[in-house]
Structure formats: structure tokens, C-alpha cells
Amino acid sequence: MQYNHQEIEKNWQKYWAENQTFKASNISDLPKYYVLDMFPYPSGAGLHVGHPLGYIASDIYARYKRHKGFNVLHPQGYDSFGLPAEQYAIQTGQHPAKTTEDNIKTYRRQLDQIGFSFDWSREVRTSNPEYYKWTQWIFIQLFNSWYNKESDKAEDISTLISIFEKEGNATVNAVCDEDVISFSAEDWSAFSATKKEEILLQYRLTFLSDTEVNWCPALGTVLANDEIVNGVSERGGHAVVRKKMTQWSMRISAYAQRLLDGLNTIDWPQPLKDSQTNWIGRSQGAMVSFKVDGFEDRISVFTTRPDTIFGVSFMTLAPEHELVSKITTDAQKEAVASYVQATAKRSERDRMADVKTISGAFTGAYAIHPFSGEKVQIWIGDYVLASYGTGAVMAVPCGDQRDYDFAKHFNIPIPNIFENVDISEAAHADKEGTVIANSDFLSGLKYKKALKLAIYEMEKRGFGYGKVNYRLRDAVFSRQRYWGEPFPVYYKDGMPQMIDAKHLPIVLPDVEKYLPTEDGKPPLGNAEVWAWNTKTNEVVANELIDYETVFPLELNTMPGWAGSSYYFNRYMDPNNDNEIASKANLAYWKNVDLYIGGSEHATGHLLYARFWQKFLFDKGVVPVDEFAKKLINQGMILGTSAFVFRVENENKFVSQSKIANYKVQPIHTDVSFVNASDELDIEAFKNWRVEFEDAAFITEEDGSFKVSREVEKMSKSKYNVVNPDDIVEEYGADALRLFEMFLGPLEQTKPWKTSGISGVYSFLKKLWKLFFNGEQLEVSDEAATKDELKIVHKTIKKVEEDIENFSFNTSVSTFMIAVNELTALKCNKREALEPLLILLSPYAPHITEELWHKLGHTTSISTAPFPVFDPKHLIESAKNYPISFNGKMRFTLELPLDLSKEEIEKTVLNHPKTQAQLQGRTPKKVIVVPGKIVNIVG
């Protein structure tokens, strides 16, 4: 009987779906194990072979845990809101919901055909109203909460209002805006309703503020820093500028220290933890206030080196700083305006990364040094960011290289405040061992003492104080696009009001166009029905707005990371209409035991999700404050690109060995046009694009046309994508799964080469032959031999160790060795073959299900207990002794290991081969080392 992978795999996929084989129960006496993949965005391109790598690894582990007796939750869904679907809608007029649905169908078909053990009954889609109802609900909870530093957690806003009513805000220790006014209980009582709302917005965990954002005019939306590459949008390569917009923001900064501390409690990769630690950026220092000469205004700066304050020779503001336009003198206005405009075209990431370019503009204004009273110049420079700290730095050029370079470039004085230190060539950034000089009361002190005394004097004189600062900025939570979660917000007297949670979800309205309106409003401004009737509690037509019962709804939508920040909790109870998940389900599943996904999400999704989890924990919604115990970042599968070389300024292509004779330009070609010998199908290439139809080709002497190869990221734009559909069709899903694991360690990046999969496919056919003699199944119930059991138990031990250590690549090698050894022994014993099938089933579930069924089992192999390793089968009972005569080995003899020296000597001397060597002579001595050698000295 032949191994027919296509028929076998389709049959078992159908069986698993119909019988819901992998459906997890929320009520079980078994221990739980929750395995999760970062859910995909369903793009129109579908999956390529690089995408399933992490899914295959998680599926192996989920199946393994089922074999080990766990109740396994292994769900899947779709992160289905996103900019690509909206861009496609703008181009074609097709609703994003339609294209998203079509893309999901493709993804589901591709995922199913690879044989994943997902519990599809729990599927979630972030763009479904039933799902984003809970995204909106969480937003409302954040709006109705503040962060109490005393209790170190989020609390209901009503508790803050209660404090205000009783004693004002003098004793409130909260995470809030910097510019909150002080007021008494009497003041609070006298404030208007609008004023109270304005004050509360300064404390709420989600709030409206004027924020510097990355605005992309071509995409009509704000972009996060990680959505910008080299100063342009990652999607489409469009220009991005910095501008101020009124935006919803999330006060993630309230959780900065807890986000840092939590990293010590989770088993995540250290490089990822380091990324989050650096992104959060905890530093200790002081806030210092500088007066602006001639103005009432002050410039606040945070510095980690208050001990160097006497070295301040100028100040630098971010070009976007709110004081720039106010303090700039008439003489400097043109230069400053020109510089501000140029800076707006650069992303913050570019400005941070560019350490070589020195640029800036003098405002013409001066600050007053708080200790010396001297005037110091106020400059603007793009190396200072408005979003970091206060958007201002006190420049100490003798102690900071960037300040030093700036001062040198613009001929600003560089006073030296370090004893016995030469700063003629560079700044002196060292702290330890440094003695402060030329600094009034700090002179002669070492770093630590000077730092403490400087802070003490600042606090005493009232212009500064010690502070812990974080680089982490509050997260902008608004997007000017259509295809995202609507905010559950309407506006009354210009102030945001939350829609009662019982009226959720607020569903996206239909719009005629997906672009911003002609007057620059977000796409929801195109909706004809998008206002809130507070009397009927429903969305109504815009023309009904009367500001008494009908009010305008928020036109922005939520960002892409909103729906992915809690989806792991929703999987625990996805069909619950009354809460994110029931208390019982949350208590049972608690959190994710194993999370697999890309490291590129380190400071995006993974940080935001930890923030939301901690907030929901504070509010008593979830039972744990970290959502994933263990995280593994899978590596990337690279593609092998193919390049043809076109002669410059000619429609002529040159084969690989001939390019030295021409001036050529490399061009990607589709890898499907290239065979295993790197030969291009010229006709296919010419038919690929109109501009290549009449191209000439300079070939090799044998008439072939050779391309060059290069390993790159697998990408549609590089035409090096390998479609898993083609691999599954030709070799099967089991071969694909095994091959992806066989490529190398899970965490490493590795190149794909389709030709290598044939070896894995041959292995599966060899496994099949262990069970069949021609067309007949031939498996014996006879007891397995000791050699057969040794192979099986050696394999059990190695595979279990490999899976527990996520070393899936070495498991595949072990399976191949085991099948080769059992084939050599002509093993067909059930006692040996059944454990081998269970071991292999997490990796190759289809072929193992089929053979398990052929062996007479009526339940899925996925429910079979994992084989138990018995070390007795690896204990050697005999030794193959080399028998030497005068130090030269003549033959070997297998003897039981439990023989004594005397018994070994007697057995060897009586052996016919020994008698033949001695030819009647009596040996002088017999040297026996038990378990090692026998040497007969003659």
C-alpha cells in the first residue's frame, strides 16, 4: 500500500474538524496548559512558508502536552483591523470588511491544510463588533480610572472625586499631567461642570491632549514610531511630518515601574527584556527650573547629573517646544521658523539615530542660571525631542559629547567643571572618580556627594527637586482612519462623555469614501449617520445634532494595538456577551503558559498588552498581572532570491558568467522561473512583464541563462516567496512541518531551500514501509527484541528532552535515526512501533493518525498517553571485548557484563579462535580488564 499524503491529510483534517478533536473544556480535572501564537493579520498575500514556523512549534508543544495529560487551550484568531485593508478600500472602493473576510478565508484554508490543532470554536476577530465591544468597554474603564501612587494601582475615578470634594487636590499623590493647578474643596465645589471635567482629564488613564504626532498626509493618519522606517511610512514609503493634534492618549507611564519590575517574574528572552527595559528607560536625577529672561515663563528640565549644573553654558529646546514661538526674538524668527519646518519632516527615530549631523538655531532668548544668576543662551536643536522628558535640556558641554559637539559647532563657551580633566578634544562623561571644580559649593566634591548636595540645595531654594524619570511616554491612542474600533465617546460642550457600557458595541458606520473629509476630518466624518442620541441611546443621523439630546460622536478610531492587548483573555470565554470572560474561566486558565511570536513586537504589542493586563488586574477583572509566563521569539525563515542582470540603458539581460563584460543592474526575478540549477525560464520571464517582452538575452555557451542567488528576507516584493500550498500539494503537510523544524533551532534565522524537503518526504515513506509488506499491513503482536526496545526508549528519552527544551530540529534527526535502525532490524513489532507513532504525532499528525487507525485504534492518537522512558532498556547487559594477542587485536567476542575476571579468562581461553591463535602453547599471562579488554601474552 502506497503512502498517499494528499488523501490521508484531507481525511484527517476533516475528521478533526467534524469531531472537534482539539476543543478545550473550561471545566476539567486535568491540569491546564495554554499555548498561544501571536495571531496573524490576514493580508491579501496569504501565508508564505516563513509564516507557519512559530505555529508549527507551538502546535508540536500543544500536542505534546495533550499526550502528557494536560487540558490544552490552543486557540487562533485574526488581528483583522489594519491599515492595509483600508488602503485597498481607498484604491478600489471595496469595503475593508469584504476584503478582510476574503483574506481570512484564504488564511483559514492554508492553516487547516497544515494540520494545526487549533480550537477553532474560540476564534476571535478584532474587527467583529462582538469582539470590539470589549475593546470599547476597556477604554471606558480606563477613562473612569486614575492611578493612585499611594496604593500603587489604578482606582475608580469616583474615589478621586470624593477626595476633591473633601479636601481638594493638595494631598493627592497621583500620576497626572505636570500642569495641574492646586485647589481646595471649596474651589472644587465652585468649579463649573466643564472645569471639573477638564481637571479630571488631567488624571484619567485615558485622556485628550495636544500631542506631537507622526502625521502621514498620504495615508491620512497618525503613525507610531515603529511604523516609520528611514523617515517615511513603512507602508507605501510616504512622507511623514511632525505636527500637533488633539489626540486620545493612554497613561502607560503610570505603570512604568511595575512594567520594569514585572520583567523579573516572567520567562521571556533576555534581549526582549532588555529592549523593554531600555524603552521604559528608568533614570534617577532632578527636575530643575530655569527662568526665561524677560518672561514669566520657566523652562523645566530633567537631568541625571545635577552635580554638573555649574557647567551649563546654554539650553536646548526641542523645535516643537511650546515656548519656542513665544521667546524667539524678531531677529531670529526667520531662522527659527525655517529650522522648525525642516525638523517637522524628520521622524523622532531618525533624529535619535542621527548622531553625526549637528544642526540648530539660536532663539535670541536667554535663561537665568538658577545658582549663578548668569544668562545662558537658549537654542533649539533636533537632537532634543518634545516627547522625551520636558523637551528641554540643560546643556553641559564639558560632560556630554552631544552638547560638546553642538557647542563646538556654534562656538558656544565650554566651561570646565572637572578637576584635572582635559576637555580640549572631547567631553568627559565619566562619573566615578570625578571631582567637581569651578562650581561654588560643589567644588572639591566627588560625584555622589555633589549630586546629593546639588539636589538638597535645589529643593531648599525652591527651583528643583529629586526625581525618578522614565523615557516611556504616554501612548497616543487615536488614528485618523476608518478601519479601526470606534470610540464609545460623544462630545457635550466640547468635553468627552462615555456611552454607557450597556449600549455597546458602537458599530462602525458606513461611509462613501475612506479618505479624510475635504476639511481634513478623519474618514468617519464622511458618515451620514454618526451622532449619539442620549434620549434614545442610539446612533442617529448627523443632521439631527441639537446639542440637547443629540451630540457628535468621536471621529477618530482606535489604533491597531488596541484589539491585540487583551485577546488572550477573550479566548478563555469568547462567546460571553456579559463580560470579557467569566471569573471561573479566568481563574481556571489564568494566563498563557507558552506564547510564541516575533521579537519585532517587543516595544509595541508586548508592552501595551502587559500594560492593559496590569490595569485589568488592578480593576479585579483578571486574576494575574502578567499575561504570559513564557515567551519564545521564533527566528525568521529567509528566502533565496534570484537576480537577473540588465545592461544599463538597454533592454538586454546578461547570464551570470558574462556580467564582467558589461555595466549591469541587478533586478529581482520571480523564483518560480528558476530551476534547481539556477537556470532562468526565459519565456516565462518575458511573459511576466510587458517591458521584458522584447528583451534580448546573452546566454551561456550551452544556451542556458543563469541567475545569481542571494539569501534575503522572504517577501512578496522580492519575488522569493514560497507558497505553502505548493509544498503541501507535492510533499504534504507532515513533510512541511518536519522540514521547517529540521531547518535549525527555533529561535534562529535560517534560509529556505525547497530541494531539502525531499529528504524529509523520503523519511515519511520509509516510516510507512515499517508497517506494510507490499499492499498488506504487517504488524506483529510478538514481543519486541531488546535491540528494538533499546532504539525505541533511546528515542523516547531524546525526543522528550528535545520537546521540553524546544529543540525541535534535533528531534527530527532522532526520528530519522530511529526509523533507519528499526528498518535495518526489519522491525514490525507493535510494541516498538506504537510508541514511535505517538512520539512522532506532534510533528507529523496526519501520517501517525492514519497508521494508528490502521493498527486498530478507534480514538485519535492525540489522546494517547506519551510513552514512558524506561532506563533499563538502555543498560548494556553484554560487552563486545577486543581479544588481543601480545597487544594486537585478532577478534572480538561478546560476553555478559556480569562475568568475573576468572570466568572471562576461562571463556576466552576455551574459545576455538583462541585455541587457533595459541596452537597448543600455554600463555604466560592473561590480562583481563572487565568491561574493556582481554590481552593474552604468549
Side-chain angles (χ1 to χ4, degrees):
M1 186 175 182
Q2 294 297 310
Y3 168 49
N4 184 336
H5 68 264
Q6 291 177 340
E7 182 182 323
I8 290 168
E9 291 177 357
K10 283 174 185 170
N11 286 344
W12 284 107
Q13 287 161 15
K14 184 170 180 282
Y15 173 89
W16 295 330
E18 289 176 351
N19 291 276
Q20 294 191 297
T21 304
F22 308 113
K23 185 174 181 179
S25 171
N26 291 323
I27 301 170
S28 176
D29 294 330
L30 299 174
K32 71 94 181 182
Y33 202 87
Y34 185 175
V35 181
L36 183 63
D37 304 290
M38 291 184 187
F39 61 172
Y41 171 75
S43 73
L47 296 172
H48 61 62
V49 293
H51 291 129
L53 179 68
Y55 300 163
I56 295 168
S58 66
D59 197 57
I60 289 169
Y61 206 79
R63 288 174 177 273
Y64 165 71
K65 281 295 188 179
R66 289 190 193 96
H67 287 306
K68 296 292 280 186
F70 285 81
N71 179 29
V72 175
L73 174 56
H74 187 35
Q76 187 57 284
Y78 303 98
D79 194 7
S80 49
F81 272 133
L83 198 51
E86 183 158 345
Q87 287 303 109
Y88 189 73
I90 291 168
Q91 294 161 14
T92 65
Q94 199 168 49
H95 198 289
K98 171 69 169 62
T99 55
T100 299
E101 180 63 33
D102 292 343
N103 295 344
I104 285 175
K105 285 178 182 174
T106 300
Y107 266 64
R108 177 63 188 269
R109 176 186 60 76
Q110 291 185 302
L111 291 170
D112 281 347
Q113 72 179 8
I114 301 174
F116 294 119
S117 63
F118 294 133
D119 179 356
W120 283 111
S121 71
R122 296 172 184 259
E123 178 195 304
V124 300
R125 302 180 185 184
T126 57
S127 59
N128 278 4
E130 310 88 77
Y131 179 85
Y132 67 68
K133 164 185 179 177
W134 297 106
T135 319
Q136 293 171 342
W137 181 83
I138 293 171
F139 179 85
I140 294 170
Q141 307 315 303
L142 283 155
F143 182 83
N144 288 327
S145 299
W146 65 294
Y147 200 90
N148 187 343
K149 287 185 180 180
E150 297 297 330
S151 60
D152 199 21
K153 69 174 188 175
E155 295 182 7
D156 194 274
I157 201 74
S158 62
T159 63
L160 182 64
I161 294 170
S162 179
I163 296 171
F164 289 169
E165 289 173 343
K166 292 173 185 173
E167 53 195 78
N169 68 346
T171 62
V172 171
N173 189 8
V175 177
C176 57
D177 292 355
E178 293 280 346
D179 56 350
V180 175
I181 61 167
S182 294
F183 55 83
S184 65
E186 292 74 21
D187 294 332
W188 176 259
S189 179
F191 289 152
S192 67
T194 300
K195 181 65 176 177
K196 288 178 179 178
E197 286 298 327
E198 288 174 352
I199 291 171
L200 289 172
L201 268 179
Q202 295 184 297
Y203 289 87
R204 295 182 189 276
L205 287 181
T206 187
F207 58 97
L208 281 171
S209 65
D210 288 334
T211 312
E212 282 283 339
V213 295
N214 303 308
W215 172 250
C216 180
L219 296 178
T221 192
V222 169
L223 299 178
N225 285 334
D226 55 9
E227 294 175 309
I228 303 167
V229 178
N230 299 323
V232 296
S233 64
E234 184 179 33
R235 179 157 186 86
H238 302 296
V240 177
V241 297
R242 298 286 294 173
K243 66 181 286 191
K244 275 197 174 180
M245 294 182 71
T246 300
Q247 302 271 50
W248 281 104
S249 292
M250 291 274 176
R251 218 178 288 277
I252 188 175
S253 58
Y255 286 84
Q257 190 59 50
R258 283 173 63 185
L259 288 167
L260 276 176
D261 295 342
L263 292 172
N264 298 321
T265 68
I266 49 181
D267 182 9
W268 287 20
Q270 193 57 47
L272 191 150
K273 287 185 176 185
D274 292 342
S275 291
Q276 291 205 356
T277 299
N278 294 334
W279 192 263
I280 295 165
R282 186 184 194 276
S283 54
Q284 223 158 341
M287 287 294 295
V288 191
S289 178
F290 287 73
K291 288 181 180 178
V292 181
D293 190 35
F295 294 87
E296 293 296 317
D297 302 275
R298 288 176 172 269
I299 298 172
S300 292
V301 299
F302 174 79
T303 175
T304 57
R305 296 293 306 273
D307 56 306
T308 66
I309 192 164
F310 283 96
V312 174
S313 65
F314 64 101
M315 299 194 75
T316 313
L317 306 183
E320 308 88 350
H321 195 286
E322 59 186 8
L323 282 182
V324 171
S325 60
K326 184 176 182 180
I327 66 174
T328 300
T329 61
D330 291 340
Q332 296 300 118
K333 259 188 172 49
E334 188 177 337
V336 168
S338 175
Y339 187 76
V340 169
Q341 188 176 6
T343 304
K345 296 175 183 176
R346 303 186 71 200
S347 73
E348 286 193 350
R349 185 165 287 182
D350 287 343
R351 286 160 61 179
M352 289 169 70
D354 185 5
V355 294
K356 294 181 180 178
T357 305
I358 300 171
S359 66
F362 179 42
T363 65
Y366 292 84
I368 305 300
H369 193 289
F371 280 121
S372 70
E374 294 178 3
K375 290 183 179 182
V376 294
Q377 298 176 2
I378 302 175
W379 287 70
I380 59 171
D382 67 1
Y383 74 98
V384 182
L385 305 178
S387 63
Y388 179 58
T390 63
V393 298
M394 58 174 226
V396 182
C398 67
D400 180 276
Q401 192 60 43
R402 219 159 183 187
D403 293 343
Y404 184 93
D405 295 338
F406 193 94
K408 281 280 188 183
H409 186 80
F410 291 108
N411 295 315
I412 302 171
I414 305 177
N416 189 357
I417 57 160
F418 302 118
E419 194 172 283
N420 299 321
V421 170
D422 179 16
I423 61 164
S424 60
E425 299 297 327
H428 175 72
D430 186 35
K431 296 178 185 176
E432 303 304 326
T434 299
V435 177
I436 302 296
N438 304 317
S439 298
D440 198 357
F441 59 89
L442 299 178
S443 296
L445 297 179
K446 289 186 177 179
Y447 158 66
K448 287 184 179 177
K449 283 191 176 180
L451 184 137
K452 286 180 181 177
L453 182 56
I455 293 174
Y456 170 79
E457 286 294 333
M458 287 175 190
E459 291 177 344
K460 180 177 156 187
R461 304 185 194 195
F463 56 77
Y465 56 92
K467 186 184 179 186
V468 174
N469 199 45
Y470 299 91
R471 183 181 291 114
L472 183 66
R473 298 295 93 199
D474 288 332
V476 175
F477 198 69
S478 294
R479 294 292 184 269
Q480 292 66 43
R481 66 183 190 210
Y482 173 76
W483 193 233
E485 297 92 335
F487 284 91
V489 175
Y490 66 92
Y491 288 88
K492 183 176 181 180
D493 298 327
M495 298 305 297
Q497 310 295 321
M498 296 298 112
I499 293 169
D500 194 294
K502 66 187 177 186
H503 303 305
L504 302 180
I506 304 302
V507 180
L508 270 176
D510 289 328
V511 294
E512 189 178 335
K513 293 186 297 184
Y514 303 104
L515 286 165
T517 64
E518 291 180 4
D519 57 356
K521 291 176 182 173
L524 290 189
N526 293 311
E528 292 180 6
V529 178
W530 196 239
W532 185 251
N533 189 324
T534 56
K535 190 173 182 181
T536 61
N537 291 310
E538 61 182 346
V539 177
V540 295
N542 297 342
E543 69 247 22
L544 298 178
I545 290 175
D546 61 9
Y547 297 102
E548 289 187 12
T549 60
V550 180
F551 301 92
L553 283 159
E554 172 66 65
L555 297 181
N556 288 315
T557 52
M558 298 186 199
W561 57 267
S564 62
S565 293
Y566 71 98
Y567 75 112
F568 34 84
N569 291 314
R570 187 63 180 164
Y571 278 137
M572 299 177 191
D573 200 1
N575 301 311
N576 192 329
D577 289 332
N578 301 313
E579 48 197 337
I580 285 179
S582 72
K583 295 287 184 190
N585 287 13
L586 286 161
Y588 177 67
W589 294 111
K590 285 189 176 65
N591 49 14
V592 177
D593 294 283
L594 174 65
Y595 197 24
I596 295 184
S599 59
E600 68 273 16
H601 299 291
T603 56
H605 155 63
L606 291 170
L607 197 60
Y608 297 137
R610 293 183 62 222
F611 159 43
W612 275 29
Q613 182 75 6
K614 289 182 185 299
F615 169 72
L616 292 173
F617 175 74
D618 288 353
K619 302 294 283 185
V621 177
V622 297
V624 290
D625 72 342
E626 289 289 349
F627 77 91
K629 291 181 186 176
K630 183 176 182 65
L631 174 73
I632 294 177
N633 293 137
Q634 85 274 10
M636 188 186 296
I637 289 183
L638 302 175
T640 304
S641 299
F643 289 89
V644 294
F645 293 89
R646 182 167 62 186
V647 179
E648 280 194 3
N649 303 317
E650 293 186 53
N651 196 13
K652 182 187 293 183
F653 292 89
V654 183
S655 191
Q656 172 67 22
S657 69
K658 310 277 188 177
I659 59 174
N661 304 323
Y662 299 88
K663 194 171 183 181
V664 295
Q665 170 191 10
I667 296 174
H668 281 95
T669 182
D670 196 303
V671 293
S672 65
F673 306 153
V674 182
N675 66 17
S677 302
D678 296 339
E679 294 173 355
L680 179 72
D681 182 335
I682 293 175
E683 287 307 309
F685 179 76
K686 289 170 75 172
N687 293 331
W688 183 35
R689 292 189 188 171
V690 175
E691 65 264 35
F692 299 153
E693 278 180 353
D694 301 321
F697 291 82
I698 299 171
T699 64
E700 305 292 328
E701 274 67 25
D702 62 1
S704 67
F705 187 96
K706 294 291 185 84
V707 302
S708 74
R709 293 287 202 166
E710 187 176 322
V711 174
E712 300 182 285
K713 179 181 178 180
M714 193 173 283
S715 165
K716 191 178 176 183
S717 65
K718 300 181 189 301
Y719 305 105
N720 63 358
V721 167
V722 178
N723 191 327
D725 295 3
D726 301 332
I727 301 297
V728 170
E729 177 71 20
E730 186 171 355
Y731 299 102
D734 287 339
L736 173 67
R737 291 168 65 106
L738 285 163
F739 183 60
E740 293 221 2
M741 293 298 98
F742 191 49
L743 287 172
L746 177 61
E747 296 90 343
Q748 287 185 11
T749 293
K750 46 258 177 188
W752 173 274
K753 195 159 187 180
T754 300
S755 57
I757 202 169
S758 58
V760 175
Y761 190 55
S762 296
F763 156 72
L764 290 172
K765 290 192 284 189
K766 200 167 191 177
L767 170 75
W768 185 264
K769 287 179 182 176
L770 279 175
F771 294 79
F772 288 89
N773 183 5
E775 291 297 309
Q776 295 298 314
L777 180 75
E778 194 171 280
V779 176
S780 169
D781 288 328
E782 183 184 334
T785 67
K786 66 173 185 176
D787 286 338
E788 291 167 344
L789 290 173
K790 179 182 176 183
I791 292 166
V792 170
H793 283 268
K794 178 179 67 175
T795 305
I796 293 170
K797 183 174 186 292
K798 182 70 168 70
V799 170
E800 184 162 7
E801 288 172 353
D802 285 346
I803 295 178
E804 289 288 358
N805 293 315
F806 304 96
S807 300
F808 304 120
N809 57 313
T810 50
S811 281
V812 180
S813 303
T814 301
F815 291 134
M816 291 176 172
I817 293 167
V819 168
N820 284 339
E821 290 177 344
L822 291 173
T823 300
L825 295 175
K826 295 185 169 59
C827 174
N828 70 339
K829 314 287 180 20
R830 181 185 292 269
E831 187 182 4
L833 296 183
E834 281 196 349
L836 179 64
L837 285 181
I838 299 169
L839 291 176
L840 184 57
S841 67
Y843 294 77
H846 306 89
I847 190 173
T848 51
E849 280 278 26
E850 181 71 11
L851 292 170
W852 187 253
H853 179 71
K854 298 283 188 195
L855 292 177
H857 296 281
T858 56
T859 55
S860 170
I861 194 173
S862 64
T863 63
F866 200 79
V868 178
F869 167 64
D870 189 342
K872 75 180 182 186
H873 295 295
L874 302 190
I875 296 172
E876 299 286 351
S877 58
K879 167 69 181 175
N880 206 26
Y881 282 88
I883 310 300
S884 300
F885 291 82
N886 297 320
K888 291 184 179 180
M889 193 192 83
R890 297 301 180 183
F891 64 92
T892 61
L893 186 62
E894 186 174 76
L895 298 173
L897 278 171
D898 57 358
L899 291 181
S900 65
K901 287 176 70 171
E902 292 74 18
E903 289 170 324
I904 293 170
E905 181 178 335
K906 182 179 178 181
T907 304
V908 171
L909 289 176
N910 289 334
H911 196 275
K913 288 186 178 180
T914 303
Q915 296 297 321
Q917 286 287 332
L918 290 174
Q919 296 181 346
R921 299 189 306 276
T922 301
K924 294 178 183 177
K925 192 188 330 180
V926 179
I927 301 169
V928 176
V929 181
K932 292 191 175 179
I933 61 163
V934 176
N935 186 26
I936 299 169
V937 181

